């Protein structure tokens, strides 16, 4: 699919699959040992921010979180806020008790899980308007590349272990690569419609679903040589 100078590439193997997040349903987390009872999932290392706007939006949302939905609200205030710059100068969410400061643990009266997600649900708003971009997009990877001819290519696919770099090798488990996570009631492109629309736009998403559901493939145009090959006859 192409819009303006952008070429869209979609990994239909993943988007048509029945992958689903199994956090709270046996997800063992991504540390070096399985810990399904800890309820940490992929929040062990906190969240990195894609840009300044992403960070400022989450900071603003965090300031409005209700105390009954955020287990570590007081801790965040005592530390100077839930977001800081790490040793590499990157803006990230703080780690408290071995996981993201926004993650409520099992047994918290307000409910386990991401406090930002819980607040969004309370207000009836999309979680994507509250959570860091990397969190609401997961496990969809939105990758922009420029080829040698200057074409902008956008690849939409599942986030693989190798995308985490060398650290990904330490995960004992990564859901996109495990059969136990492919138990969803809907294919990914339907279940994550809102996230995909935010990433690619309504028009591109509509065209994507049309191609998937109609099974249609746009054929390449018939190519003809600029000049016919010379008649070489029967000789050598």
């Amino acid at each position: 699919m192409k819009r303006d100078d952008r070429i869209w590439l979609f990994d239909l193997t993943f988007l048509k699959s029945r992958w689903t997040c199994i956090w709270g349903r046996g997800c063992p987390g991504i540390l070096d040992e399985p810990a399904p009872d800890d309820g940490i999932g992929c929040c062990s290392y906190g969240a990195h921010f894609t840009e300044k706007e992403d960070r400022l939006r989450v900071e603003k949302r965090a300031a409005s979180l209700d105390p009954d939905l955020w287990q570590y609200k007081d801790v965040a205030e005592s530390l100077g806020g839930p977001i800081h710059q790490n040793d590499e100068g990157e803006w990230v969410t703080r780690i408290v008790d071995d996981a993201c400061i926004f993650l409520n643990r099992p047994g918290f009266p307000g409910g386990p899980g991401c406090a930002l997600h819980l607040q969004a649900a309370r207000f009836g708003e999309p979680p994507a308007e509250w959570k860091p971009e990397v969190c609401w997009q997961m496990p969809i990877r939105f990758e922009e590349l420029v080829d040698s001819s200057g074409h902008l290519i956008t690849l939409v696919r599942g986030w693989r272990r190798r995308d985490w770099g060398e650290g990904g090798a330490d995960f004992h488990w990564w859901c996109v690569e495990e059969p136990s996570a492919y138990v969803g009631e809907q294919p990914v492109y339907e279940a994550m419609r809102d996230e995909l629309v935010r990433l690619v736009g309504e028009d591109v998403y509509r065209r994507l679903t049309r191609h998937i559901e109609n099974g249609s493939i746009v054929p390449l145009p018939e190519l003809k040589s600029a000049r016919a090959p010379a008649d070489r006859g029967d000789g050598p």
Side-chain angles (χ1 to χ4, degrees):
M1 296 179 184
K2 184 174 180 181
R3 185 178 66 186
D4 299 324
D5 292 331
R6 183 192 299 265
I7 298 173
W8 295 92
L9 296 178
F10 292 90
D11 176 7
L12 296 188
T13 301
F14 176 69
L15 294 178
K16 292 172 66 177
S17 76
R18 296 292 173 140
W19 178 91
T20 188
C21 177
I22 59 170
W23 177 85
R25 295 179 291 164
C27 173
I30 58 173
L31 296 175
D32 54 0
E33 296 289 341
D37 295 333
D38 291 347
I40 293 177
C42 56
C43 301
S44 305
Y45 304 105
H48 287 66
F49 293 92
T50 58
E51 56 189 0
K52 182 178 181 180
E53 182 180 353
D54 183 30
R55 171 173 61 86
L56 294 179
R57 175 179 52 81
V58 174
E59 286 181 337
K60 181 178 180 180
R61 293 296 197 179
S64 67
L65 282 174
D66 294 334
D68 65 315
L69 291 184
W70 188 12
Q71 182 175 2
Y72 293 98
K73 184 177 179 65
D74 291 342
V75 174
E77 291 177 353
S78 70
L79 294 174
I83 297 169
H84 74 124
Q85 281 185 292
N86 62 18
D87 293 339
E88 288 74 41
E90 302 166 319
W91 287 100
V92 296
T93 59
R94 293 185 186 276
I95 300 298
V96 175
D97 293 340
D98 299 321
C100 177
I101 196 169
F102 288 113
L103 182 70
N104 300 336
R105 307 302 195 273
F108 177 63
C114 176
L116 295 165
H117 195 118
L118 293 171
Q119 187 79 62
R122 172 172 285 182
F123 290 164
E125 297 178 356
E129 295 183 4
W130 285 76
K131 301 170 70 171
E133 288 189 4
V134 68
C135 298
W136 65 258
Q137 292 177 14
M138 192 64 64
I140 295 174
R141 183 170 176 84
F142 185 85
E143 192 170 2
E144 293 187 326
L145 310 167
V146 178
D147 69 11
S148 58
S149 300
H151 295 111
L152 177 61
I153 299 174
T154 300
L155 176 60
V156 182
R157 62 178 176 86
W159 193 294
R160 311 294 292 185
R161 180 192 297 266
R162 65 179 179 271
D163 296 319
W164 294 98
E166 294 181 1
D170 297 330
F171 299 171
H172 79 282
W173 184 87
W174 177 243
C175 60
V176 174
E177 300 178 359
E178 297 293 336
S180 57
Y182 288 80
V183 292
E185 297 180 357
Q186 297 176 296
V188 171
Y189 79 91
E190 291 182 348
M192 298 191 71
R193 179 194 181 283
D194 292 345
E195 290 83 356
L196 285 167
V197 168
R198 284 179 178 271
L199 285 169
V200 308
E202 187 72 50
D203 178 61
V204 172
Y205 177 79
R206 184 167 54 249
R207 293 163 60 193
L208 169 67
T209 57
R210 184 168 66 245
H211 285 298
I212 292 176
E213 294 169 1
N214 293 343
S216 60
I217 299 176
V218 179
L220 291 172
E222 182 180 356
L223 300 179
K224 296 182 179 180
S225 175
R227 61 185 180 90
D231 183 4
R232 301 175 65 182
D234 296 328

PDB file of all heavy atoms in Angstrom, residues 87-110:
ATOM      1  N   ASP A  87      21.077   6.741  33.430  1.00  0.00           N
ATOM      2  CA  ASP A  87      22.506   7.030  33.312  1.00  0.00           C
ATOM      3  C   ASP A  87      22.929   7.314  31.876  1.00  0.00           C
ATOM      4  O   ASP A  87      23.974   7.928  31.643  1.00  0.00           O
ATOM      5  CB  ASP A  87      23.321   5.853  33.857  1.00  0.00           C
ATOM      6  CG  ASP A  87      23.146   5.670  35.359  1.00  0.00           C
ATOM      7  OD1 ASP A  87      22.750   6.654  36.024  1.00  0.00           O
ATOM      8  OD2 ASP A  87      23.396   4.562  35.867  1.00  0.00           O
ATOM      9  N   GLU A  88      22.137   6.866  30.913  1.00  0.00           N
ATOM     10  CA  GLU A  88      22.438   7.116  29.504  1.00  0.00           C
ATOM     11  C   GLU A  88      21.791   8.399  28.996  1.00  0.00           C
ATOM     12  O   GLU A  88      21.878   8.733  27.818  1.00  0.00           O
ATOM     13  CB  GLU A  88      21.979   5.940  28.644  1.00  0.00           C
ATOM     14  CG  GLU A  88      22.814   4.675  28.788  1.00  0.00           C
ATOM     15  CD  GLU A  88      22.558   3.964  30.101  1.00  0.00           C
ATOM     16  OE1 GLU A  88      21.375   3.891  30.513  1.00  0.00           O
ATOM     17  OE2 GLU A  88      23.547   3.514  30.724  1.00  0.00           O
ATOM     18  N   GLY A  89      21.113   9.109  29.907  1.00  0.00           N
ATOM     19  CA  GLY A  89      20.462  10.350  29.513  1.00  0.00           C
ATOM     20  C   GLY A  89      19.105  10.153  28.868  1.00  0.00           C
ATOM     21  O   GLY A  89      18.535  11.107  28.327  1.00  0.00           O
ATOM     22  N   GLU A  90      18.551   8.935  28.931  1.00  0.00           N
ATOM     23  CA  GLU A  90      17.252   8.644  28.327  1.00  0.00           C
ATOM     24  C   GLU A  90      16.139   8.887  29.348  1.00  0.00           C
ATOM     25  O   GLU A  90      16.295   8.577  30.538  1.00  0.00           O
ATOM     26  CB  GLU A  90      17.206   7.187  27.859  1.00  0.00           C
ATOM     27  CG  GLU A  90      18.296   6.821  26.866  1.00  0.00           C
ATOM     28  CD  GLU A  90      18.420   5.323  26.685  1.00  0.00           C
ATOM     29  OE1 GLU A  90      18.342   4.591  27.694  1.00  0.00           O
ATOM     30  OE2 GLU A  90      18.599   4.883  25.539  1.00  0.00           O
ATOM     31  N   TRP A  91      15.017   9.425  28.876  1.00  0.00           N
ATOM     32  CA  TRP A  91      13.858   9.626  29.750  1.00  0.00           C
ATOM     33  C   TRP A  91      13.085   8.315  29.859  1.00  0.00           C
ATOM     34  O   TRP A  91      12.683   7.729  28.854  1.00  0.00           O
ATOM     35  CB  TRP A  91      12.961  10.727  29.205  1.00  0.00           C
ATOM     36  CG  TRP A  91      13.546  12.092  29.373  1.00  0.00           C
ATOM     37  CD1 TRP A  91      14.191  12.834  28.434  1.00  0.00           C
ATOM     38  CD2 TRP A  91      13.547  12.878  30.574  1.00  0.00           C
ATOM     39  NE1 TRP A  91      14.606  14.035  28.956  1.00  0.00           N
ATOM     40  CE2 TRP A  91      14.216  14.094  30.273  1.00  0.00           C
ATOM     41  CE3 TRP A  91      13.048  12.685  31.856  1.00  0.00           C
ATOM     42  CZ2 TRP A  91      14.393  15.098  31.214  1.00  0.00           C
ATOM     43  CZ3 TRP A  91      13.232  13.695  32.798  1.00  0.00           C
ATOM     44  CH2 TRP A  91      13.893  14.880  32.479  1.00  0.00           C
ATOM     45  N   VAL A  92      12.886   7.855  31.092  1.00  0.00           N
ATOM     46  CA  VAL A  92      12.235   6.571  31.341  1.00  0.00           C
ATOM     47  C   VAL A  92      11.347   6.667  32.579  1.00  0.00           C
ATOM     48  O   VAL A  92      11.502   7.580  33.401  1.00  0.00           O
ATOM     49  CB  VAL A  92      13.275   5.442  31.557  1.00  0.00           C
ATOM     50  CG1 VAL A  92      14.095   5.213  30.290  1.00  0.00           C
ATOM     51  CG2 VAL A  92      14.206   5.786  32.735  1.00  0.00           C
ATOM     52  N   THR A  93      10.438   5.727  32.721  1.00  0.00           N
ATOM     53  CA  THR A  93       9.681   5.639  33.970  1.00  0.00           C
ATOM     54  C   THR A  93      10.573   5.003  35.033  1.00  0.00           C
ATOM     55  O   THR A  93      11.434   4.173  34.729  1.00  0.00           O
ATOM     56  CB  THR A  93       8.397   4.797  33.792  1.00  0.00           C
ATOM     57  OG1 THR A  93       8.753   3.470  33.364  1.00  0.00           O
ATOM     58  CG2 THR A  93       7.475   5.423  32.760  1.00  0.00           C
ATOM     59  N   ARG A  94      10.366   5.409  36.268  1.00  0.00           N
ATOM     60  CA  ARG A  94      11.191   4.878  37.352  1.00  0.00           C
ATOM     61  C   ARG A  94      10.871   3.403  37.617  1.00  0.00           C
ATOM     62  O   ARG A  94       9.755   2.939  37.355  1.00  0.00           O
ATOM     63  CB  ARG A  94      10.964   5.666  38.639  1.00  0.00           C
ATOM     64  CG  ARG A  94      11.449   7.109  38.577  1.00  0.00           C
ATOM     65  CD  ARG A  94      11.294   7.768  39.932  1.00  0.00           C
ATOM     66  NE  ARG A  94      11.598   9.184  39.906  1.00  0.00           N
ATOM     67  CZ  ARG A  94      12.820   9.710  40.010  1.00  0.00           C
ATOM     68  NH1 ARG A  94      13.858   8.893  40.165  1.00  0.00           N
ATOM     69  NH2 ARG A  94      13.010  11.012  39.976  1.00  0.00           N
ATOM     70  N   ILE A  95      11.859   2.706  38.147  1.00  0.00           N
ATOM     71  CA  ILE A  95      11.688   1.317  38.580  1.00  0.00           C
ATOM     72  C   ILE A  95      11.567   1.301  40.102  1.00  0.00           C
ATOM     73  O   ILE A  95      12.422   1.854  40.813  1.00  0.00           O
ATOM     74  CB  ILE A  95      12.880   0.452  38.142  1.00  0.00           C
ATOM     75  CG1 ILE A  95      13.023   0.464  36.622  1.00  0.00           C
ATOM     76  CG2 ILE A  95      12.719  -0.977  38.657  1.00  0.00           C
ATOM     77  CD1 ILE A  95      11.839  -0.109  35.897  1.00  0.00           C
ATOM     78  N   VAL A  96      10.497   0.706  40.600  1.00  0.00           N
ATOM     79  CA  VAL A  96      10.274   0.567  42.040  1.00  0.00           C
ATOM     80  C   VAL A  96       9.880  -0.890  42.307  1.00  0.00           C
ATOM     81  O   VAL A  96       9.025  -1.442  41.601  1.00  0.00           O
ATOM     82  CB  VAL A  96       9.164   1.518  42.538  1.00  0.00           C
ATOM     83  CG1 VAL A  96       8.871   1.268  44.013  1.00  0.00           C
ATOM     84  CG2 VAL A  96       9.566   2.969  42.326  1.00  0.00           C
ATOM     85  N   ASP A  97      10.519  -1.503  43.286  1.00  0.00           N
ATOM     86  CA  ASP A  97      10.240  -2.906  43.601  1.00  0.00           C
ATOM     87  C   ASP A  97      10.343  -3.777  42.348  1.00  0.00           C
ATOM     88  O   ASP A  97       9.495  -4.633  42.063  1.00  0.00           O
ATOM     89  CB  ASP A  97       8.856  -3.069  44.244  1.00  0.00           C
ATOM     90  CG  ASP A  97       8.782  -2.434  45.617  1.00  0.00           C
ATOM     91  OD1 ASP A  97       9.849  -2.212  46.226  1.00  0.00           O
ATOM     92  OD2 ASP A  97       7.654  -2.134  46.069  1.00  0.00           O
ATOM     93  N   ASP A  98      11.392  -3.518  41.565  1.00  0.00           N
ATOM     94  CA  ASP A  98      11.754  -4.350  40.410  1.00  0.00           C
ATOM     95  C   ASP A  98      10.774  -4.287  39.238  1.00  0.00           C
ATOM     96  O   ASP A  98      10.697  -5.223  38.434  1.00  0.00           O
ATOM     97  CB  ASP A  98      11.922  -5.820  40.828  1.00  0.00           C
ATOM     98  CG  ASP A  98      13.032  -5.986  41.860  1.00  0.00           C
ATOM     99  OD1 ASP A  98      14.071  -5.302  41.718  1.00  0.00           O
ATOM    100  OD2 ASP A  98      12.862  -6.775  42.797  1.00  0.00           O
ATOM    101  N   ALA A  99      10.037  -3.185  39.129  1.00  0.00           N
ATOM    102  CA  ALA A  99       9.157  -3.021  37.966  1.00  0.00           C
ATOM    103  C   ALA A  99       8.781  -1.554  37.817  1.00  0.00           C
ATOM    104  O   ALA A  99       9.098  -0.722  38.674  1.00  0.00           O
ATOM    105  CB  ALA A  99       7.905  -3.891  38.094  1.00  0.00           C
ATOM    106  N   CYS A 100       8.075  -1.241  36.740  1.00  0.00           N
ATOM    107  CA  CYS A 100       7.658   0.131  36.460  1.00  0.00           C
ATOM    108  C   CYS A 100       6.849   0.702  37.624  1.00  0.00           C
ATOM    109  O   CYS A 100       6.002   0.029  38.215  1.00  0.00           O
ATOM    110  CB  CYS A 100       6.823   0.155  35.180  1.00  0.00           C
ATOM    111  SG  CYS A 100       6.176   1.788  34.749  1.00  0.00           S
ATOM    112  N   ILE A 101       7.094   1.962  37.930  1.00  0.00           N
ATOM    113  CA  ILE A 101       6.428   2.618  39.048  1.00  0.00           C
ATOM    114  C   ILE A 101       4.917   2.748  38.841  1.00  0.00           C
ATOM    115  O   ILE A 101       4.153   2.902  39.795  1.00  0.00           O
ATOM    116  CB  ILE A 101       7.060   4.008  39.288  1.00  0.00           C
ATOM    117  CG1 ILE A 101       6.674   4.551  40.660  1.00  0.00           C
ATOM    118  CG2 ILE A 101       6.686   4.979  38.162  1.00  0.00           C
ATOM    119  CD1 ILE A 101       7.472   5.790  41.067  1.00  0.00           C
ATOM    120  N   PHE A 102       4.463   2.659  37.614  1.00  0.00           N
ATOM    121  CA  PHE A 102       3.029   2.741  37.346  1.00  0.00           C
ATOM    122  C   PHE A 102       2.315   1.399  37.510  1.00  0.00           C
ATOM    123  O   PHE A 102       1.087   1.341  37.424  1.00  0.00           O
ATOM    124  CB  PHE A 102       2.766   3.261  35.929  1.00  0.00           C
ATOM    125  CG  PHE A 102       3.063   4.722  35.748  1.00  0.00           C
ATOM    126  CD1 PHE A 102       4.113   5.143  34.933  1.00  0.00           C
ATOM    127  CD2 PHE A 102       2.301   5.691  36.392  1.00  0.00           C
ATOM    128  CE1 PHE A 102       4.386   6.493  34.762  1.00  0.00           C
ATOM    129  CE2 PHE A 102       2.566   7.045  36.231  1.00  0.00           C
ATOM    130  CZ  PHE A 102       3.619   7.447  35.413  1.00  0.00           C
ATOM    131  N   LEU A 103       3.065   0.326  37.742  1.00  0.00           N
ATOM    132  CA  LEU A 103       2.459  -1.004  37.811  1.00  0.00           C
ATOM    133  C   LEU A 103       2.018  -1.347  39.227  1.00  0.00           C
ATOM    134  O   LEU A 103       2.841  -1.522  40.129  1.00  0.00           O
ATOM    135  CB  LEU A 103       3.445  -2.058  37.312  1.00  0.00           C
ATOM    136  CG  LEU A 103       2.896  -3.483  37.286  1.00  0.00           C
ATOM    137  CD1 LEU A 103       1.840  -3.640  36.193  1.00  0.00           C
ATOM    138  CD2 LEU A 103       4.011  -4.503  37.102  1.00  0.00           C
ATOM    139  N   ASN A 104       0.715  -1.474  39.416  1.00  0.00           N
ATOM    140  CA  ASN A 104       0.178  -1.954  40.690  1.00  0.00           C
ATOM    141  C   ASN A 104       0.386  -3.462  40.781  1.00  0.00           C
ATOM    142  O   ASN A 104       0.162  -4.182  39.811  1.00  0.00           O
ATOM    143  CB  ASN A 104      -1.315  -1.655  40.807  1.00  0.00           C
ATOM    144  CG  ASN A 104      -1.630  -0.177  40.729  1.00  0.00           C
ATOM    145  OD1 ASN A 104      -0.782   0.671  41.019  1.00  0.00           O
ATOM    146  ND2 ASN A 104      -2.854   0.141  40.336  1.00  0.00           N
ATOM    147  N   ARG A 105       0.772  -3.925  41.950  1.00  0.00           N
ATOM    148  CA  ARG A 105       1.034  -5.349  42.133  1.00  0.00           C
ATOM    149  C   ARG A 105      -0.222  -6.097  42.575  1.00  0.00           C
ATOM    150  O   ARG A 105      -1.185  -5.489  43.085  1.00  0.00           O
ATOM    151  CB  ARG A 105       2.144  -5.559  43.158  1.00  0.00           C
ATOM    152  CG  ARG A 105       3.430  -4.804  42.882  1.00  0.00           C
ATOM    153  CD  ARG A 105       4.057  -5.124  41.516  1.00  0.00           C
ATOM    154  NE  ARG A 105       5.442  -4.656  41.457  1.00  0.00           N
ATOM    155  CZ  ARG A 105       5.809  -3.438  41.105  1.00  0.00           C
ATOM    156  NH1 ARG A 105       4.895  -2.552  40.743  1.00  0.00           N
ATOM    157  NH2 ARG A 105       7.088  -3.094  41.097  1.00  0.00           N
ATOM    158  N   PRO A 106      -0.231  -7.416  42.406  1.00  0.00           N
ATOM    159  CA  PRO A 106      -1.369  -8.213  42.868  1.00  0.00           C
ATOM    160  C   PRO A 106      -1.650  -7.959  44.348  1.00  0.00           C
ATOM    161  O   PRO A 106      -0.734  -7.877  45.166  1.00  0.00           O
ATOM    162  CB  PRO A 106      -0.904  -9.654  42.631  1.00  0.00           C
ATOM    163  CG  PRO A 106       0.067  -9.550  41.489  1.00  0.00           C
ATOM    164  CD  PRO A 106       0.787  -8.238  41.722  1.00  0.00           C
ATOM    165  N   GLY A 107      -2.901  -7.811  44.689  1.00  0.00           N
ATOM    166  CA  GLY A 107      -3.292  -7.548  46.067  1.00  0.00           C
ATOM    167  C   GLY A 107      -3.574  -6.090  46.354  1.00  0.00           C
ATOM    168  O   GLY A 107      -4.175  -5.766  47.391  1.00  0.00           O
ATOM    169  N   PHE A 108      -3.171  -5.177  45.470  1.00  0.00           N
ATOM    170  CA  PHE A 108      -3.470  -3.764  45.675  1.00  0.00           C
ATOM    171  C   PHE A 108      -4.980  -3.551  45.570  1.00  0.00           C
ATOM    172  O   PHE A 108      -5.612  -4.025  44.614  1.00  0.00           O
ATOM    173  CB  PHE A 108      -2.742  -2.921  44.629  1.00  0.00           C
ATOM    174  CG  PHE A 108      -3.041  -1.450  44.702  1.00  0.00           C
ATOM    175  CD1 PHE A 108      -2.705  -0.707  45.826  1.00  0.00           C
ATOM    176  CD2 PHE A 108      -3.686  -0.808  43.653  1.00  0.00           C
ATOM    177  CE1 PHE A 108      -2.984   0.651  45.901  1.00  0.00           C
ATOM    178  CE2 PHE A 108      -3.965   0.552  43.717  1.00  0.00           C
ATOM    179  CZ  PHE A 108      -3.617   1.278  44.843  1.00  0.00           C
ATOM    180  N   PRO A 109      -5.602  -2.875  46.542  1.00  0.00           N
ATOM    181  CA  PRO A 109      -7.066  -2.731  46.547  1.00  0.00           C
ATOM    182  C   PRO A 109      -7.644  -2.098  45.286  1.00  0.00           C
ATOM    183  O   PRO A 109      -8.756  -2.428  44.865  1.00  0.00           O
ATOM    184  CB  PRO A 109      -7.326  -1.848  47.774  1.00  0.00           C
ATOM    185  CG  PRO A 109      -6.164  -2.096  48.672  1.00  0.00           C
ATOM    186  CD  PRO A 109      -4.994  -2.313  47.760  1.00  0.00           C
ATOM    187  N   GLY A 110      -6.890  -1.188  44.669  1.00  0.00           N
ATOM    188  CA  GLY A 110      -7.393  -0.531  43.461  1.00  0.00           C
ATOM    189  C   GLY A 110      -7.325  -1.397  42.226  1.00  0.00           C
ATOM    190  O   GLY A 110      -7.865  -1.029  41.181  1.00  0.00           O
TER     191      GLY A 110
END
